[in-house]
Amino acid sequence: TGMAAVAVCDAVEETAGVRPGIKWTNDLILNGRKLGGILTEMALEGETGAVQSLVIGVGINVSQGPEDFSPDVAAMATSLKEALGKPVSRPQLAAEMITALQRMMADLGGDLRPYLEKYRQDCATLGREVQLLWRDRRERAFAEDIDDQFGLVVRYADGCREVVRSG
């Protein structure tokens, strides 16, 4: 999901000239508002750990205006058109996303450091207080870093650190 977020940010930047931020783990934000999201599903072969399938779902608000968002999300959602004040080509964005995601797929078995570096630069969650919602409790923590598997490294008030792996 982290690599896909970087690839989609690359595509948006190439197409629209602006680079979204990433709200850990899978939301794209622009000007503090949600621009889109990414969901991934992966299946691994049990014995070898080889990737059998990877499905990436990406949704980006491209041409919506404020009136197109329901009242419950209008204040927190945006689109490229709204943020830039001009339309963005959906076919061009789709083509750039396919190119960036194909490049990402080719890089999956190799060096992930370029993706990690970009993810850390783009991650709007870092340096902020976060609220962790567990089944039976809520905890506040400070988002310190992204680990080498795109996990969120948090520090609690008592100084203990933990890696969070689920959004």
Side-chain angles (χ1 to χ4, degrees), residues 122-165:
D122 294 338
C123 187
T125 307
L126 294 181
R128 297 179 178 263
E129 184 178 72
V130 295
Q131 184 174 207
L132 304 173
L133 305 174
W134 307 106
R135 289 186 186 131
D136 57 347
R137 69 185 199 276
R138 294 174 185 240
E139 290 185 80
R140 294 198 178 276
F142 184 78
E144 287 191 328
D145 198 4
I146 302 297
D147 79 354
D148 290 347
Q149 285 82 43
F150 296 89
L152 182 65
V153 180
V154 298
R155 180 179 31 84
Y156 296 100
D158 66 3
C160 289
R161 296 176 81 213
E162 180 178 21
V163 178
V164 180
R165 299 253 178 240

Side-chain angles (χ1 to χ4, degrees), residues 55-99:
V55 178
I56 301 170
V58 178
I60 298 178
N61 299 327
V62 177
S63 55
Q64 293 87 342
E67 69 282 354
D68 295 317
F69 296 110
S70 65
D72 55 321
V73 299
M76 55 187 144
T78 192
S79 70
L80 289 171
K81 179 182 174 186
E82 184 179 358
L84 300 173
K86 63 181 182 179
V88 172
S89 168
R90 285 188 290 178
Q92 182 183 355
L93 178 58
E96 291 294 341
M97 284 174 46
I98 290 168
T99 299

Side-chain angles (χ1 to χ4, degrees), residues 28-122:
L28 303 181
I29 58 171
L30 191 58
N31 301 328
R33 295 166 67 191
K34 186 171 178 176
L35 179 67
I38 300 166
L39 296 175
T40 58
E41 185 76 28
M42 182 170 64
L44 300 175
E45 199 280 320
E47 289 186 29
T48 66
V51 175
Q52 287 183 316
S53 65
L54 177 62
V55 178
I56 301 170
V58 178
I60 298 178
N61 299 327
V62 177
S63 55
Q64 293 87 342
E67 69 282 354
D68 295 317
F69 296 110
S70 65
D72 55 321
V73 299
M76 55 187 144
T78 192
S79 70
L80 289 171
K81 179 182 174 186
E82 184 179 358
L84 300 173
K86 63 181 182 179
V88 172
S89 168
R90 285 188 290 178
Q92 182 183 355
L93 178 58
E96 291 294 341
M97 284 174 46
I98 290 168
T99 299
L101 289 167
Q102 284 179 324
R103 188 171 44 247
M104 180 208 77
M105 291 298 296
D107 292 340
L108 264 179
D111 184 9
L112 304 183
R113 283 179 295 183
Y115 288 92
L116 281 163
E117 290 170 15
K118 279 188 173 182
Y119 192 97
R120 287 177 179 125
Q121 290 170 0
D122 294 338

